[in-house]
Amino acid sequence: MKPGDTVWLHTLAGPPLADADGHRIAFRVTAVQTLSRSGTWYLLHTEHPVAEEIFGGWHPARPLARIHPAEQTEGRTL
């Protein structure tokens, strides 16, 4: 993944984060940093205000999944 890519942020239970109506929330990768001892981290941003406040910030690659262009119309994409 690289800056500008849109991703789903998966929950511990497995599915991507969703709003109260069940629409998945898209995040945009705004920066990438690789650290020698902890791997690659991605700075995420979303236009969804509550999700941005709680989940915006740095995340490791494991809970992220790049959004396929065919999925760009679902939920709040950027």
Side-chain angles (χ1 to χ4, degrees):
M1 287 174 277
K2 61 188 183 314
D5 286 348
T6 53
V7 297
W8 302 125
L9 177 59
H10 287 265
T11 65
L12 293 175
L17 287 174
D19 64 15
D21 296 323
H23 297 124
R24 294 185 286 178
I25 300 169
F27 288 81
R28 183 169 310 280
V29 175
T30 59
V32 178
Q33 184 172 13
T34 300
L35 304 172
S36 61
R37 294 182 183 233
S38 59
T40 303
W41 288 74
Y42 300 88
L43 183 59
L44 303 184
H45 168 74
T46 183
E47 292 179 357
H48 189 287
V50 175
E52 174 63 22
E53 185 174 333
I54 297 169
F55 298 105
W58 291 97
H59 294 271
R62 187 172 188 175
L64 307 180
R66 191 163 186 257
I67 298 175
H68 188 275
E71 296 178 290
Q72 295 288 328
T73 60
E74 181 169 345
R76 288 180 164 258
T77 58
L78 303 175

